[in-house]
Amino acid sequence: MLELRTLEADDWPLWRELRLAALTEAPYAFGSTPAQWQGSGDREERWRARLSIPGAHDLIALLDGLPVGMASGVPGEGAENVELISMWVNPTARGKGVGDYLIQAVERWAAERGATTLWLSVMPDNRKATALYERHGFTDTAEPGGLLPHGVDRERVMAKSLAAV
């Protein structure tokens, strides 16, 4: 059974577990590295702060009771914009609708708060994630995304209108 759970700051150990798993399993998919969140970066107050972004909606997906995915919706520029961040699904749960479920939940939350556009950034060579987002109606905005660590390429920025959600 697939279910979602909304996280609060006190859920930081669970978020930490999933985030470190995501950064380790798919370092190519994130702007952060495992090293940035381990060692001196692995502090309770930092994890709590991540789950305390004002107005954010942090979710984990549970498949048969086990945490297998995560995503967050965070306010963007202006009340009409929300950004989908920290999206990841454990490889053991891919192809089982977990990513779809997380995206749809963030879309509903964003629409309920009055947002009209859902934005996201994806690594330009992450074809599987891009295909997932395109299936959900996201399109390339042609806006420059964040500069990648090597200083040459940028993240791909995609957006979706929430008018029909």
Side-chain angles (χ1 to χ4, degrees):
M1 180 169 87
L2 187 55
E3 59 186 308
L4 292 179
R5 181 171 157 202
T6 301
L7 299 181
E8 304 295 332
D10 287 343
D11 296 312
W12 71 268
L14 181 54
W15 182 261
R16 175 187 179 275
E17 175 187 335
L18 280 172
R19 181 67 174 168
L20 290 176
L23 293 172
T24 301
E25 186 276 324
Y28 58 85
F30 297 98
S32 297
T33 65
Q36 291 170 318
W37 286 88
Q38 294 172 325
S40 63
D42 190 1
R43 299 179 317 277
E44 178 179 342
E45 63 272 9
R46 185 175 185 203
W47 293 108
R48 284 181 174 279
R50 171 56 185 81
L51 292 176
S52 300
I53 296 171
H57 187 60
D58 300 299
L59 299 167
I60 61 162
L62 300 150
L63 184 60
D64 299 327
L66 298 173
V68 294
M70 63 184 196
S72 294
V74 296
E77 303 247 346
E80 69 280 358
N81 293 306
V82 168
E83 186 175 3
L84 171 65
I85 65 170
S86 300
M87 174 83 178
W88 177 75
V89 176
N90 187 302
T92 63
R94 292 179 189 159
K96 298 180 180 179
V98 176
D100 298 320
Y101 205 53
L102 286 164
I103 291 171
Q104 290 164 355
V106 172
E107 287 175 1
R108 281 191 306 276
W109 166 81
E112 288 168 4
R113 70 186 311 267
T116 56
T117 305
L118 182 59
W119 299 82
L120 62 83
S121 294
V122 62
M123 293 298 174
D125 58 352
N126 192 342
R127 288 175 178 69
K128 288 183 179 183
T130 299
L132 171 66
Y133 300 138
E134 288 173 343
R135 270 198 331 269
H136 282 271
F138 287 88
T139 57
D140 197 325
T141 66
E143 294 181 28
L147 195 60
L148 299 181
H150 58 64
V152 178
D153 296 318
R154 293 184 173 273
E155 293 176 314
R156 180 178 179 191
V157 178
M158 302 178 79
K160 174 183 182 170
S161 170
L162 297 176
V165 176

